[in-house]
Amino acid sequence: MKVDLVVALAGNANVGKSSIFNQLTGLGQIIGNWPGKTVEKAEGVLLHHGKHIKIIDLPGIYSLSTYSQEEIVSREYIALEHPDVVVNVVDATSLERNLFFTLQLLEMGTPLVIALNLVDVAKKKGITINEIKLQRLLNAPVVPTIATKGIGVHEIVDAAIEQAAKRSSASKSTIRYGPEIETRIEKLERVLTGVNIGYPLRWTAIKLLEGDSDIVNKVGEKHPDVIVAANILAGEISEIHKEPCSTVISSERYAVAARIVKEVQTFKESEKPSMGELFDELSMHSVWGYVLMFTTMLSILMFMSFFGGWLSEIVRNLFESVNPHMTGFLPDLLWNGGVVGFYATLSVALGFILPFYLILGVLEDSGYLPKIAYLMDRPCHTIGLHGKACIPLLLAFGCNVPACVGCRIMETKRDRFIAIFLSTLVPCSARTVVILGLVGAYVGVQWALLLYIIDFILIFLIGRILNRFLPGKSVGIIMEMPPYRLPSGKVVVKQAWNRFKPFLMTALPLIILGSIIIEAMRITEILYLVSNALSPITVVWLGLPAFTGFLFIFGILRKEAALVLLMTAAGTVDIRSAMSPVQMIVFALVIMIYVPCVATIAALVRETGWKKAGLITLTEVGLAIFIGGIAFRLLNVFM
Amino acid sequence: MPQEHIEEYLEAIYDIAGREGTAKTTEIAERLKNAPASVTEVFQRMKQKGLVRYESHKGVSLTGKGYKAAIKMKRKHRLLEVFLDKMLHLPSDKVHEQACKMEHTLTDETETALCKTLKGPTECPHGSPIPPCNLEVKNCQECFSEQNLTLEKRDKDIIAITALKHGEKAKIVFVRGGGGVMQRLCDLGLTNGTTISLLREAPMNGPVEICVRGCKLVIGRGIAEKIFVQKT
C-alpha cells in the first residue's frame, strides 16, 4: 500500500499517545494510567479523506537526553527516521514539564503539531490554556484534544497534513539560549560542517555541548577532533555558569518553558481537595496503604478462585449432560480428545483468564499500579530492584511475555535482568488456572494460597541471590505519579478482549490438538512409553502418576494445557479418582515453577539473549524438580 | 574544656536526637561512658556557647549553630572513614575508632581536599550518609573539574529534601552525585532554584513523593538524599 504521510506520536509518558493512536487506527495498543506502558513503537494506517496515513505510536520520552531503553527507541525514531510530521502530545495539566520536551523537538527542526491533551482534566483542576497564544509562541499548530473520548483526534490529522504541506518553510527554532551559549553553538556548528551523522546540525552541536554519550560516540568515531573542540566550548560554558554545561542548557530550556506557561496559562486553585487526592492520601498511607494493597490482592485471588471454580463447574456439567457415551476408537478420540479438550479450555478461559484480564484492566486504568510501585519501593530494595519493577511483576500475573518486554522500563541492564528473571517466576493466568483449578478446586483454597506463598518466597530468595552475586547497584526509582481516574468500562473491556484474543486464537486450537494427540497416544499405548521414560523423575522422585510425564512436556507449550490434558491423560474428568491431594499439590507446584512456556522463552531470548534465557530456563527446571520432590516428602508426613 | 570534648558531645547528641529531637542526659552519659554529673556540667557550658538548648528535666537538643557544628564533625568523620577504608585499606572494624581520633584535628581545607580526592563520596563505609559541604557550589562536578578553586563558604542552612516536613516547600540549591541520574532530575524539572514541596514519604526509609512544577514525582530515598534544598 502506498503511504502518503508518516505521522509519529511523541511526548512524555502517560499523556495519551496510545489512546490517540487507538482512536485513529482502531488498533488495540495497551493503554492504562501509568508511565511506561508502551516500550516498543507500534504502527497503524488510517484512511483520512482518501489519504493513507501511517501513524506511529512511540514510547514516552521526557527528554532527548535519554535515560531508559524505551526512550532511546523514541529518540532514534524521531531523529533518524524523519517522520513527515511529529505530533507532540502534551499533557495540559502539567504544561511546563511537557513543554521542556516540545522545545527540544523544535530544536531538532521537526515539523510539529501540538496535541494539547487532557484539556477536560485540566479544566477540572482550574487550569485554562490560551491555545492561540501558545500556537503563536511555539510557531506550530495547537489542537486541543480529549483522547479518551476521541475529541480533536481527527483535527490533529488535518493539522498534520497541512503542516507537512508547508514543510519546506518549516520555521527555525524558536528557542534561543543566552548569548554566551549561542556563540558557542555557532562555533561548534562551523566545526561540524562536513560531519554528517544523520542528525540536524544545530541539534548535534547542542547535544555535543551537553556531552550526550550516544552522540559523542557517534561523532567521535570518525571525528575525534570535533569532540575535543566541543569539550573546550562546554568547559567554557560551565566556567561561566559554575555548573556543568548540560544542566545549564536544561535550566535555560526550563526557563523558556516557564515563561511560555506564564503567558498562556491561568490557574485557579480549588480549595477543597479532590476525591483523587483523598484517595491518594489513603492508598499511599504508611499503614492503610499497605492494608489496602494486601486486601486488594487477596480479594482478587479469592474472587478468582471461587468465581472460576463455579463457572468451570457449570461449563463442565453442561457438556457432560450431552455426553453421548459412545465407545470405540473414533468416538473416544473425538469426544475425550476433541470435545473435552474444547470445553475444558473454555471453562478455564472464561472462569479464570478473562476475569483476571478484566480486573487487571481496572487496576491499570485507575492509576493504582504506580501507587504499588511507591509502596513497594523499599521492600524491592532487598531483592536489588526498585519500586518500578513491581509494575512488570504485577503484569506478569496476567502473562509473563508482556512482563518480560515491560521490564525495559528498568534503567540498568542489571535491574532489567533481575526483573525479567523474577517475572518468569510469577504465576501467570495459565498457572493460576492450574493452581486454582486443580488445588483450589479439589484440595482446598488454603493449599492454593500456600502455593502462592511458596512462589513468593522463591521469588524473594532468587532476588536476594541475584542481588548478591550480580555486580552493580540499583539506581533508585524516579517515576511520575499519575492522578487517579475512574476506569472507563469500554477501555477495560476492549483491553481484556485484546489480551484474550490471542489466547483463543493460539491456545485453544493447540490444546484441542494436544488433547486429540494424547487421547490417540493413550489408546495406542504410546503415552505409556513416553511417560515411563520420565518416570524416574515423575514417579520415583516426585511421587506422581506416570502419565504426568507427558503433561510436563506438553505444558511447556501452554501451561494451562497441563490441567486440561490432565483430564484427557487420566482418562477421566474427575481428577480425584486419578490423583491424591498430595499429588495434585506437587503437580501444581512443579507446573508453577518448572519452566517458562515457549512464548516466554522466546521473549526471554529476545530480551536477554540465548545464554541468559537458557540460564533462567535451566535454573527453573532444576528448582521445580528439587522443590517438588521435597514437597512430596514433606506433604506425605502431614497429609 | 578541650574543643575535642565538645565535638564528641555534639556528635553524640546528633546521633541520638537528630536535627530536632531531644536526648536524655543518661543516654549521652551512657554513650560517652561519662558520669551523668559531668555530662550535665558540659551541657551547661555548651548552652553558654549557644550550641544546645538544655533544661535538666527535659534533656538536651541542638540549636541551629550546634547542628551545623555537629554535621560538620559527622562529615569529617565519615570522609576520614572512607579515606581509611578505600585508600589505606584498613580493616573496616578499625576505621571508626581511628577516624574518631583524627576528625578533631582535620582543617576545613584538608576536608575539602579529601572530598575531592575521594570524588565526593556520599556514604561512609558503614552506609551512613555523608553531609554535604558548605561551599558555594551547585554540584560536585564543578568542584572536581576546577584545579585551583577558591570557593566561598555558603551561609545558608541547606538540608536534603528527605529532611523536609510533609507539605513543606523549599528551593533546590545543590544536587549531589553525577551522570545520568542528575541529568534526568534536571530534565524532569529539578533544576537549581526550582521550588519543590515534599508531599509524603513511605515508611522505613522508603521513597519520597514531591511536587515539582505542578507534577508529582516519586524519588527513591538514595537519590532524594542527594538533592539539597533551602527552606523558603
Side-chain angles (χ1 to χ4, degrees), chain A residues 63 65 71 94 96-97 100 241-244 246 250 254 280-281 284 374 378 475 477-479 481, chain B residues 138-139 142 183-184 186-189 192 200-202 204-205 209 213 215-220 223:
Chain A
S63 163
S65 354
E71 287 191 323
S94 51
E96 195 172 324
R97 222 262 328 281
F100 179 77
H241 285 265
K242 302 266 177 254
E243 254 190 295
S246 60
S250 291
Y254 260 112
D280 256 9
E281 206 55 57
M284 293 168 87
Y374 166 81
R378 179 68 192 78
V475 287
I477 191 171
I478 303 178
M479 189 176 67
M481 266 290 146
Chain B
K138 283 170 186 149
N139 50 56
E142 186 191 334
Q183 183 63 42
R184 169 72 356 163
C186 222
D187 288 347
L188 287 169
N192 283 338
R200 52 175 65 82
E201 53 192 321
M204 294 178 299
N205 287 328
E209 190 189 19
R213 296 178 196 266
C215 307
K216 287 174 181 172
L217 283 183
V218 164
I219 296 179
I223 299 171

Side-chain angles (χ1 to χ4, degrees), chain A residues 564-622:
Chain A
V564 177
L565 301 180
L566 181 64
M567 300 178 197
T568 324
T572 168
V573 186
D574 189 12
I575 298 169
R576 265 170 294 195
S577 61
M579 279 173 114
S580 72
V582 172
Q583 286 178 325
M584 290 188 208
I585 296 173
V586 172
F587 180 75
L589 185 66
V590 175
I591 288 285
M592 184 171 81
I593 308 168
Y594 81 119
V595 65
C597 67
V598 171
T600 309
I601 295 176
L604 281 178
V605 171
R606 201 159 74 100
E607 295 297 313
T608 65
W610 281 104
K611 254 164 101 184
K612 283 177 179 159
L615 177 82
I616 294 174
T617 308
L618 289 180
T619 312
E620 288 177 9
V621 173

Side-chain angles (χ1 to χ4, degrees), chain A residues 145 167 227 296 435 437 441 446 461 571 581 626:
Chain A
T145 58
R167 174 174 195 163
I227 307 300
T296 312
I435 297 167
Q446 71 277 22
L461 290 178
F626 177 71

Side-chain angles (χ1 to χ4, degrees), chain A residues 296-297 299-305 307-308 311 348-364 369 391-400 402 426-433 436 452 456 492 495-497 499-500:
Chain A
T296 312
M297 295 299 146
S299 18
I300 291 173
L301 190 68
M302 288 312 222
F303 169 78
M304 296 259 301
S305 173
F307 179 78
L311 207 72
V348 299
L350 293 179
F352 298 102
I353 298 177
L354 193 58
F356 180 78
Y357 282 150
L358 286 170
I359 296 170
L360 187 67
V362 172
L363 284 181
E364 268 186 289
L369 294 186
I391 293 179
L393 285 175
L394 282 167
L395 294 183
F397 279 94
C399 177
N400 287 178
V426 172
C428 62
S429 56
R431 279 174 266 188
T432 303
V433 165
L436 296 182
Y452 276 101
F456 295 150
V492 169
Q495 195 116 300
W497 175 245
R499 285 183 163 134
F500 188 58

Side-chain angles (χ1 to χ4, degrees), chain B residues 113-126:
Chain B
L114 201 54
C115 186
K116 263 194 194 180
T117 312
L118 296 168
K119 287 276 168 241
T122 54
E123 281 178 356
C124 79
H126 314 95

